[in-house]
Amino acid sequence: MAREELTRLTGRTGGPECDDDDCPNIYRTRSGSFVVQGDLSNAFTAPAGEALVEIPEHVMREAVRALGW
């Protein structure tokens, strides 16, 4: 799936601005699921095929506002 196929929910208003899409963000897919971009986390070992990412609270709040929840 290409980034262009996703709806970006964060990083557009408020919060610190990021260059070249290199900051934590939350995207929504056409099927309604979410793709999260963040710093890799080593909090625990994720199962094969999965990864852990860490995103700031303000990014999650921005995504919730964008969805109108």
Side-chain angles (χ1 to χ4, degrees):
M1 175 181 314
R3 184 180 295 194
E4 295 77 27
E5 298 176 62
L6 303 171
T7 300
R8 186 173 176 175
L9 300 175
T10 58
R12 296 182 184 275
T13 60
E17 293 299 319
C18 300
D19 296 329
D20 301 322
D21 296 325
D22 63 351
C23 58
N25 280 297
I26 299 175
Y27 301 85
R28 191 164 198 184
T29 67
R30 288 184 183 151
S31 66
S33 63
F34 299 93
V35 175
V36 178
Q37 174 186 351
D39 294 327
L40 284 176
S41 173
N42 294 316
F44 61 89
T45 302
E50 295 183 6
L52 303 175
V53 296
E54 186 173 341
I55 60 169
E57 181 179 330
H58 75 86
V59 173
M60 185 64 75
R61 288 182 182 273
E62 185 180 351
V64 168
R65 278 193 299 275
L67 291 167
W69 293 353

